[in-house]
Amino acid sequence: MNLARRLMNLPAFALVYERVWRPTSFFLVSGRTMRADRADAARTLHLDRARTVLDIACGPGNFTHGLSAHLAVGGHAVGIDLSVAMLAQARADNSGPEVSYVRGDAQRLPFPDGSFDAVCCFGALYLIPDPLAAAREMIRVLAPGGRIAISTSHRYENWFGRLVTAIFGTIGLRFFEGDVFPKLFTEAGLIDVRQRVHGLLQYLDASRPA
């Protein structure tokens, strides 16, 4: 297990992750705030029309809990993570009647096909051993007519991109070329695929045909 994944399993890191680490690091690499990311996620996932949303690699649950507030009446948000420490923090800080947390592997989601109206993974695919398998699982559990959204790292094909990849690779973070996820989404039959790049992060959203 690399350094980045080991950190995710430490209770002390789980305590500060959403409070300090993630807001600071994401702003430095993308110029975007967590508030902007949450608002953008609610819009791109069309949560006002959704009854269920799955948040992959939910960490301490801040995003999951925030998404639940945008769901249609009676809606429910499910956060899934492999880290016991992160889930313990999620249940302590971000519980509620509209939110549930499950321990599980993003590469083998414990849900039937087409289970969720919306599926997302924000800032975690670059840590998952097989990120493309995780992305395919996200598509598998997405219901017809549903929406999918991800944010992950973006690699520039120049000296800067090679340098960043080498530096962050030492702690286990990977960077993805710009065509990886649009191609995967399109080949899986998703439509309305949209990609936006902000610094070292890329944001993608798409729909599954009804």
Side-chain angles (χ1 to χ4, degrees), residues 22-76:
R22 182 169 174 171
T24 302
S25 60
F26 272 51
F27 183 77
L28 289 175
V29 301
S30 71
R32 288 172 59 93
T33 66
M34 297 307 296
R35 177 179 292 181
D37 272 2
R38 291 192 187 100
D40 189 50
R43 285 192 301 270
T44 57
L45 289 169
H46 298 174
L47 292 186
D48 57 330
R49 309 175 207 168
R51 293 296 297 271
T52 53
V53 58
L54 176 64
D55 184 17
I56 307 289
C58 66
N62 297 56
F63 230 102
T64 317
H65 190 267
L67 294 176
S68 72
H70 294 277
L71 289 167
V73 176
H76 199 83

Side-chain angles (χ1 to χ4, degrees), residues 58 60-62 64-65 78-79 87 90-91 94-95 99-103:
C58 66
N62 297 56
T64 317
H65 190 267
V78 177
L87 290 173
R91 293 184 178 111
N94 290 297
S95 293
V99 185
S100 299
Y101 296 103
V102 177
R103 185 167 188 255

